Every structure is written in C-alpha cells, then in structure tokens.
C-alpha cells in the first residue's frame, strides 16, 4: 500500500463547489494532489518500511492536507503558493515527494581525532554500528593551513580533529574504505581545495573515477569572517578559490556537493534563529552571484550547493526555520537568479544539534537535549544529521558517547513512527505562522545587507559580527537573570557530580606526525614538488582555475602548508579592521 486515501480523495476534487476552470484554486489543488500522488507511486520505497498502521492499528495518512471546504478561495490560493505538497516548488513541505518513506536522512556522525589511523578506526566503528555517511573533523593546524611540524601547530596536533598534512595522511585516513561506496563530508574552509585534491588523489589510487565520488565539502569561508574566525586570506580572494572549486567540480565531480553553506557556526557564535537563517542564505546568494559573474550556468552548479543548519533548543522555531529556508531559497533561485531546473530550486541541508547547548554540568542531560533537537531537524525535513555526544562540551567524544548519539537517530528513525508520515506538522497554525514571520524577518535582513553593497562589504563593516554579539549578550543576560532556565546550570543544580570518562589525545600523536613528514620529504621528488608549486603560484597570479594545480601538487606529495604558503604570499592574510 503506497498511501492512505483518508484525506487524499477529498483533496483531489471530491468536495467543494464547482470550479471556474483550471486556474481556480480547487482545480489547481486537484491537479497538484493528483500529480503528487503519481510521483509518490513512482518513487522508490525504503526497504523494510512496510508499516502502514500505527501502534493502535489505525491506517497512517501519508500526507496531512487541509479541508478545502474550510478555506476561502484566497486562502486556498495562498496554501498552494506558499505550502503546497512535498517535492514541489516552493518545497516548504520537503524536497522529495515521499521524504523519509523513500529514504531516511543520512546519519552522518562527525568524527576526527589524533592520527589518520585513529580516525580511520572510528570511521569503521561507526559504519559497523549503522552510520550511513562519513563526516571528517580536522585539527586546528589543518584548518588553518599548517603542517603538523609547523611552529604554529605545537600542542594542537590531533587535538580537535584528525591531523592531515599530505596526501599520504589522507591515504591512511581512508585506508580500507572504498570511496565509491561511501558519501564523505569534510569540514574544512580556507584549505578546502587542497583537502579535496587529496581526496580525489586517494580515489585515483583506489581506481575510483572522480565522477563517482559523493560527498560534501564545507568550503564556506564567508561564515568564517562572520562567526568562526578560521580564515586565512582576504574575503575576495577566498571567494575566488571557492568559485574555482565549484567550476571544476561542476565538470569533473558531478555528484559532489561543492559547498555546505553553514549557518551552524553563526548560531554557535550566539546568533538568533532568524539571524542564522538570514545570514546563511545571504552567504549562499553571494556564492551564487560570484559563480554567475564567472559565467557559470546556474542550473549546472546550483543543484550541488547544500546548506548546513544548527538544531537548537526552541523546538518549533527550529522547524519553522528549515521550512522558511527552503521557501526563500526556492523563490530566489527561480525568480532572482533565473534557474529553470526544479533541482536548482530545492534546498538540501545537513543539520547538527547545537554544540553551544551542551552543558558541562550534569552532562547526561545532554542526551535529552540532543534527542529533542534531532527530532526538530527530522520534523523539519533534513537530508543529513549529526547528533552531538553528551561529552562533547568536555572533549572529543568517547566511543560509548558517540554510539548513544547515533542510537538516538536510529530510535527516531525506527521507533517513533515519524518517518511514516510526510511533514506531519505541515498546516499547523502555529508552525505556518512562525514560518511566515521568520521568512519576513529574513527578508528585512536581506534588504539591509543589499543597502551595504552585499555580504563582503557588510563583513568589512562588521555588520554581521555586531548583530551576533548583541544577540549573544541579550541571551546571556536572560540566563543570568533566570529569564531562561538551563537545567543543571542556573536551576536544578547539584553541588557534587560524578566525573565522566572523556577521550584524551596523547602527545605522542604530534611526535608521530612530525616523524612522518620528515620521512615523506626525504622520499618524494623535490623537483616535481617545486614545479607543481610554481604552477599553483602562476595560477594564483593570472586568475586561471587553481584546482588542477592543487591536484598536481597533491599527486607529488606537496604538503598542505607548502601549498597554503604559496597562496599566503600571493593573496596576503586577512585582518579584521572594524570596531564596536
């Protein structure tokens, strides 16, 4: 049984007065629902998802729809224009017609620590426990473009992620993991092109064509200037590198999501949900405009753009945020940027539960926080999800903690019944009104950003930074005044708590990585390295696409820092100049 007809028969024309033609709201509704039913019937069903009744034995409705008899023609028109059905413009109700009935979200747990072998073992552990995609965290030296033996890396190697300085490290990271069978996300920004070049080169050594690689590169530098501050080069040069990568991948990596436009870190810095929504989408539009200025066809690159949102603690606000984001994205891509393909209009996004909501006090409470935040992401229609572990406010997660976090997703997927119904909160008066309000507030921010000349001028003026700082200050005052209760922090406090086990990274990791780099430099062809780095330097100067040169550098084992230092010399390093 593909769906229940309890509501669908009425919605497809069985009620209401005679229509006045194909443009009449009721006829539009009949056509829309009929088309949607056909698409659901043609969509694949998830294996093992045979449930059609709830625990009481009642038939489960596949999609909740309004009774047209309760809506005026104007109200029905608005429903059709703003909400509609899943898998169709404006995608408010989701990007696929059957959503999780056809395929669950990807369970992509963030992992990375110590040496490449340490993280390789964690990857394989998570895959064994049922994870369906890999997500790679890199240590701070890697994020900032320094090798493990740099003076800038002392004391930080492998501490907040895996240490990757060369193609050889990347080979160890994915040893025994066939890259044509997994989807891999990499959280990297300034050195993103270099890490992708390493990944492509590993695939080549496995005999896997780059055209078969699936995954996502974070690659969102604008949010670094706004929130996280892990930037290296000035904004315009950084956006140039991103545009190079998008242009290259559009031709050579057609399955790869070239950028994950990241509101997550904007929210972690203290923004409100509305600011996260508006600033993230504004960044996305800036990347689109840079690619259009390059002369790229929007329908060639837009389908491989993805977004990344925070799942915070205000349950319904988070759900409304995701719905508003899909609608805003669809409207802008279709009408402002002229995309013709519906694949360009739909917004795919990954979600991570809120790291800033995790508390060191009574850390087991974080399991509950994470579960509710994950639930909001699923009800909001996410395509991919990371659930934080209870101990991540103290250290990188232990195996036990990360297994609990993964099991949280699996319980939502298999025990709650939520995936059996598409967009169960669609049509909720509260949720739809909140969605509309968030969309309107985001549009006000877009107007202010446009008045400043766009995202980069707004960054240079400190606009985003000041807005987030003010929001974070307001929130902290509310917590301190107990206007907002944080369980175990400012209320229900316990005087004494039992410490929990945490993961510790030994200092031997840094020693080992340094030894490996010395050995690599002694074995490689230094002439080939110099030639490849000179090619990269010339491309940086003359404006040609840098990606082929990053790949050439990777193949001859030029290190991460050697390539980044070439760009530092050519582009310079960025320093913020605004003041509060």
């Amino acid at each position: 049984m593909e769906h229940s007809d309890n509501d669908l028969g009425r919605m497809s024309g069985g009620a209401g007065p005679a229509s006045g033609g194909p443009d009449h709201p009721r006829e539009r509704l009949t056509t829309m629902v009929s088309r949607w039913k056909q698409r659901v019937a043609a969509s694949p069903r998830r294996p093992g998802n045979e449930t059609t009744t709830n625990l009481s034995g009642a038939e489960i409705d596949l999609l909740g729809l309004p009774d047209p008899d309760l809506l005026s023609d104007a109200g029905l028109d608005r429903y059709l224009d703003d909400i509609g059905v899943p898998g169709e413009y404006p995608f408010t109700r989701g990007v696929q017609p059957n959503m999780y009935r056809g395929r669950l979200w990807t369970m992509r747990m963030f992992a990375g620590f110590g040496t490449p072998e340490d993280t390789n073992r964690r990857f394989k552990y998570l895959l064994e426990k049922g994870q369906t995609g890999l997500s790679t965290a890199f240590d701070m030296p890697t994020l900032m473009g320094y090798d493990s033996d740099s003076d800038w890396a002392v004391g930080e190697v492998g501490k907040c992620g895996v240490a990757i300085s060369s193609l050889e490290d990347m080979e160890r990271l994915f040893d025994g993991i066939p890259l044509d069978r997994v989807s891999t996300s990499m959280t990297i920004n300034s050195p993103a092109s270099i890490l992708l070049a390493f990944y492509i080169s590993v695939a080549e050594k496995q005999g896997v064509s780059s055209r078969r690689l699936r995954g996502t590169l974070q690659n969102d530098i604008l949010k670094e200037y706004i929130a996280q501050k892990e930037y290296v080069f000035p904004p315009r040069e950084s956006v140039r590198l991103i545009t190079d990568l998008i242009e290259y991948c559009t031709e050579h990596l057609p399955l790869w999501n070239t950028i994950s436009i990241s509101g997550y870190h904007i929210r972690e810095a203290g923004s409100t949900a509305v600011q996260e929504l508006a600033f993230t989408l504004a960044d996305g539009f800036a990347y689109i405009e840079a690619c259009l200025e390059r002369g790229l066809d929007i329908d060639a690159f837009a389908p491989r753009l993805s977004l990344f949102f925070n799942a915070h603690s205000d349950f319904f606000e988070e759900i409304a945020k995701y719905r508003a984001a899909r609608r805003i994205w669809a409207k802008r891509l279709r009408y402002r940027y002229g995309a013709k393909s519906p694949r360009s209009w739909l917004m795919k996004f990954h979600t991570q539960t809120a790291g800033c909501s995790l508390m060191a006090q009574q850390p087991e409470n974080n399991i509950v926080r994470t579960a509710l935040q994950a639930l909001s992401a699923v009800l909001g229609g996410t395509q991919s999800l990371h659930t934080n572990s209870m101990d991540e406010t103290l250290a990188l997660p232990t195996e036990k903690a990360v297994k609990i976090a993964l099991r949280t997703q699996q319980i939502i997927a298999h025990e709650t019944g939520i995936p059996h119904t598409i967009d169960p909160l669609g049509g909720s008066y509260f949720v739809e009104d909140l969605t509309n309000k968030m969309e309107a507030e985001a549009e006000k921010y877009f107007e202010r950003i446009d008045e400043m000349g766009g995202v980069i001028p707004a960054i240079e003026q400190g606009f985003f930074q000041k807005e987030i700082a003010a929001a974070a200050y307001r929130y902290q005052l509310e917590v301190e005044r107990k206007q907002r209760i944080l369980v175990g922090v400012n209320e229900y406090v316990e005087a004494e708590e039992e410490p929990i086990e945490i993961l510790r990274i030994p200092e031997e990791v840094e020693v080992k990585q340094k030894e490996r780099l010395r050995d690599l430099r002694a074995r490689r062809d230094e002439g080939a390295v110099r030639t490849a780095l000179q090619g990269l330097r010339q491309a940086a100067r003359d404006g040609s696409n840098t990606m082929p040169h990053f790949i050439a550098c990777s193949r001859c084992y030029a290190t991460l820092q050697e390539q980044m230092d070439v760009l530092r010399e050519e582009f310079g390093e960025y320093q913020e100049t605004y003041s509060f």
Side-chain angles (χ1 to χ4, degrees), residues 115-117 172 512-520:
T115 67
E117 290 91 341
R172 295 185 179 105
K512 188 173 187 177
Q513 288 302 105
K514 287 180 176 180
E515 290 174 351
R516 285 174 163 176
L517 279 167
R518 282 197 298 270
D519 179 61
L520 173 66

Side-chain angles (χ1 to χ4, degrees), residues 67-329:
D67 185 341
D69 291 343
L70 301 179
L71 297 176
S72 66
D73 287 350
L76 196 52
D77 260 331
R78 183 170 180 182
Y79 172 86
L80 294 168
D81 292 339
D82 289 349
I83 302 174
V85 294
E88 292 196 14
Y89 178 88
F91 304 100
T92 308
R93 304 199 69 177
V95 297
Q96 300 296 338
N98 59 349
M99 287 300 289
Y100 305 135
R101 295 277 293 194
R103 178 183 175 185
L104 287 174
W105 61 92
T106 301
M107 298 180 191
R108 193 185 299 278
M109 301 299 292
F110 203 33
F113 65 93
T115 67
E117 290 91 341
D118 293 331
T119 299
N120 177 272
R121 285 190 291 272
R122 178 63 64 88
F123 279 166
K124 290 175 179 176
Y125 173 83
L126 289 168
L127 290 170
E128 177 190 331
K129 299 301 178 185
Q131 176 169 293
T132 53
L134 301 178
S135 183
T136 315
F138 299 97
D139 69 2
M140 188 58 70
T142 305
L143 292 172
M144 299 304 295
Y146 292 108
D147 292 340
S148 294
D149 59 355
S150 167
D151 290 344
W152 291 96
V154 173
E156 293 293 336
V157 176
K159 291 295 176 66
C160 68
V162 62
I164 299 292
S165 299
S166 70
L167 171 59
E168 195 167 75
D169 284 335
M170 192 69 94
E171 291 168 350
R172 295 185 179 105
L173 180 63
F174 290 101
D175 181 51
I177 299 174
L179 298 190
D180 56 344
R181 299 182 192 174
V182 297
S183 169
T184 302
S185 174
M186 292 187 282
T187 299
I188 195 78
N189 296 292
S190 286
S193 300
I194 301 171
L195 270 292
L196 181 59
F198 288 165
Y199 192 81
I200 292 168
S201 300
V202 172
E204 288 176 348
K205 287 176 174 289
Q206 291 187 2
V208 177
S209 166
S210 62
R211 301 191 69 82
R212 297 171 61 192
L213 295 177
R214 295 178 297 112
T216 303
L217 199 65
Q218 187 167 111
N219 199 26
D220 175 8
I221 200 64
L222 292 176
K223 66 90 173 53
E224 296 295 335
Y225 303 105
I226 290 171
Q228 191 165 240
K229 309 305 180 185
E230 289 171 8
Y231 49 73
V232 177
F233 315 118
R236 287 171 175 80
E237 287 76 7
S238 293
V239 172
R240 175 261 173 105
L241 292 174
I242 291 169
T243 309
D244 285 353
L245 187 146
I246 292 173
E247 181 180 44
Y248 180 87
C249 290
T250 298
E251 181 177 353
H252 299 285
L253 280 77
L255 303 181
W256 192 267
N257 294 324
T258 53
I259 188 168
S260 178
I261 305 151
S262 303
Y264 182 85
H265 310 87
I266 292 172
R267 193 65 177 280
E268 291 291 289
S271 81
T272 66
V274 168
Q275 289 170 343
E276 179 193 354
L277 171 66
F279 298 169
T280 306
L281 294 183
D283 286 351
F285 301 147
Y287 294 125
I288 288 171
E289 289 162 10
C291 290
L292 293 176
E293 288 174 10
R294 177 71 64 90
L296 303 185
D297 175 5
I298 191 163
D299 285 319
F301 72 84
R304 306 315 303 179
L305 305 179
S306 66
L307 287 90
F308 173 21
F309 287 111
N310 195 298
H312 214 286
S313 298
D314 194 319
F315 190 76
F316 291 107
E317 185 178 43
E318 296 304 292
I319 295 166
K321 177 183 72 183
Y322 309 132
R323 296 166 65 82
R326 278 194 295 268
R327 192 156 72 205
I328 294 168
W329 186 263

